[in-house]
Amino acid sequence: MPSESQIPIASSHLSRRFAVRLALFYGAIFALSGSQLPFFPVWLRGVGIDAAWIGIISAVPAVTRFTILPLVTSFAERKAAVRGAMIITAVITTFGFAAIGTQHLPAAVFLAYVVTAAAWTPTVPLTDAYALRGVVRYGIDYGPVRLWGSAAFIVGALGCGWLADLIAAKHLIWIIAAAAALGAVISFGLQPLDSRKAPTPVQQGPVALLRDPGFLAIIAASALIQGSHSAYYVFGSITWQLAGLGGFTIAALWALGVVAEIVVFALSPRFTLQPSTLVVIGGLGAMARWLITAQEPPVAVLAVVQLAHGLSFGVTQLGTMGLMVRHVPVPIITRAQGYLAACGGIVASSASIVSGLIYARYGQGAYYPMALMALSGAIVMWSARKYLESHPQSAASGG
């Protein structure tokens, strides 16, 4: 069977069916993120866990991204079983969050979250790899499909925020577990994509990726910029809650950022800038966002600043995925996604722990190191942009 890079674009019916099912799954996994990211820390605080432990527990998914996740993505690629891996991780994630809900002691929650995150964190990289294979095989656009995940994130955040005003914080974990269960059910409807026969890329391709300066620049810049969101993800909702904002208002602030992200994804087919330029813009946008957030702005200003999520996350994500498609051979793109997530995990876990320590003493001052991280990511990509533009698919021949 020919590799996916050699398979002609399928019929519009097959392309549309693939895109719809993928969009539904993106929606499900990001509905989980929409409820988990803003309100899992609130649940932790609601069951009596202190700020230092919250920072440590919240760092767990980032740690699994550079330990367990690369093993899962590599195994799925070797076995040509990306779809199967997506199903298995979604199912285990559901049971994991349900188990977490039965624990209240910090150490017990930590251990249960380790197991859950080991299954949960590979799901998005596997899905992105599955999607990028679909870009090649079916000719779909990544952005318009991915935006449904962002839209579902809003639904998850607003829904959980509305419920947070009606139920005790200690019950929020069951909303998160229910969102995970939805993803597990939808995963069974994903369209098979991997060939049963192993692809035949250049044998040194995966090793060459880690020797290629262009690929290293991609994962380093993405990790620094996306990792700069750590303080926001861990302490954003807690800070706003302590400032007297209600659950629905907190969810609305999160939703504003994701609305901007959706607009970016929807308009992405019209973008003409190089992917490397998009990453630089995303990094600079993130830097400005965190510098302003550190000033503890009023809600009206904060609402405007939240729109910068379209730059700090959305534009960075689009640029990174564009670089992955251009710079990484399709047969090893699942493993490349694993390396990308692993690098991001190292940076994000460190940033999460450090932000917890800084936040405990300086509050919003935790955003200053985040701004520096984002600027560093933009500088890395700016320095590598000419190499990336002149060496497409260089990893295919060993860099």
Side-chain angles (χ1 to χ4, degrees):
M1 183 177 290
S3 67
E4 288 172 353
S5 60
Q6 297 171 315
I7 295 175
I9 300 302
S11 68
S12 59
H13 172 71
L14 290 176
S15 299
R16 184 165 54 252
R17 185 172 65 181
F18 175 86
V20 168
R21 295 183 182 187
L22 176 58
L24 287 173
F25 187 67
Y26 263 129
I29 60 176
F30 281 99
L32 168 59
S33 295
S35 57
Q36 189 273 341
L37 274 177
F39 294 104
F40 185 65
V42 174
W43 175 78
L44 291 172
R45 184 170 177 268
V47 296
I49 296 175
D50 62 30
W53 263 109
I54 289 174
I56 293 171
I57 292 171
S58 297
V60 167
V63 173
T64 60
R65 278 198 284 271
F66 65 83
T67 53
I68 304 300
L69 186 153
L71 301 178
V72 175
T73 54
S74 296
F75 182 82
E77 181 179 88
R78 288 197 305 271
K79 299 298 182 180
V82 174
R83 173 180 174 271
M86 293 160 67
I87 294 171
I88 291 171
T89 57
V91 171
I92 294 176
T93 297
T94 300
F95 287 103
F97 276 114
I100 290 171
T102 66
Q103 308 300 319
H104 290 168
L105 296 177
V109 171
F110 174 80
L111 292 175
Y113 200 38
V114 167
V115 176
T116 304
W120 178 34
T121 54
T123 305
V124 171
L126 286 168
T127 307
D128 281 337
Y130 177 84
L132 294 182
R133 288 172 182 264
V135 168
V136 175
R137 177 176 285 191
Y138 295 108
I140 65 172
D141 286 314
Y142 172 81
V145 174
R146 174 60 177 76
L147 72 82
W148 292 103
S150 301
F153 184 98
I154 294 178
V155 174
L158 290 176
C160 198
W162 176 68
L163 290 171
D165 288 335
L166 301 177
I167 64 176
K170 64 181 180 180
H171 298 311
L172 290 175
I173 190 66
W174 302 115
I175 309 303
I176 297 170
L182 178 63
V185 171
I186 293 176
S187 69
F188 288 96
L190 290 168
Q191 190 167 314
L193 182 62
D194 295 295
S195 62
R196 293 187 179 276
K197 190 174 181 180
T200 57
V202 177
Q203 293 300 311
Q204 296 300 316
V207 176
L209 278 175
L210 298 179
R211 296 175 179 171
D212 177 41
F215 179 72
L216 294 178
I218 293 170
I219 63 176
S222 175
L224 287 166
I225 299 170
Q226 301 293 24
S228 75
H229 292 73
S230 294
Y232 166 61
Y233 289 154
V234 177
F235 294 106
S237 295
I238 292 175
T239 299
W240 299 335
Q241 187 183 55
L242 292 175
L245 301 183
F248 191 80
T249 302
I250 292 172
L253 286 171
W254 281 80
L256 278 175
V258 185
V259 166
E261 177 185 318
I262 291 172
V263 172
V264 168
F265 286 143
L267 296 178
S268 63
R270 301 183 182 183
F271 291 174
T272 58
L273 294 174
Q274 290 287 337
S276 57
T277 303
L278 293 177
V279 174
V280 172
I281 293 173
L284 296 177
M287 179 190 69
R289 181 185 182 189
W290 307 138
L291 288 176
I292 296 174
T293 304
Q295 310 306 314
E296 302 185 38
V299 174
V301 175
L302 186 60
V304 175
V305 173
Q306 282 295 95
L307 296 176
H309 194 73
L311 295 176
S312 65
F313 176 83
V315 171
T316 302
Q317 176 74 0
L318 283 173
T320 302
M321 292 299 104
L323 288 168
M324 293 288 278
V325 169
R326 293 186 181 198
H327 203 70
V328 179
V330 171
I332 57 173
I333 204 163
T334 305
R335 191 170 309 202
Q337 286 288 339
Y339 294 152
L340 173 67
C343 183
I346 293 172
V347 174
S349 61
S350 301
S352 180
I353 294 172
V354 170
S355 66
L357 297 174
I358 297 176
Y359 183 85
R361 185 168 183 178
Y362 298 106
Q364 296 285 78
Y367 284 103
Y368 288 117
M370 304 298 109
L372 181 59
M373 285 175 58
L375 176 60
S376 299
I379 292 173
V380 168
M381 183 51 62
W382 180 259
S383 301
R385 73 193 189 286
K386 290 184 179 179
Y387 177 87
L388 289 168
E389 292 167 9
S390 60
H391 291 78
Q393 297 274 327
S394 62
S397 58

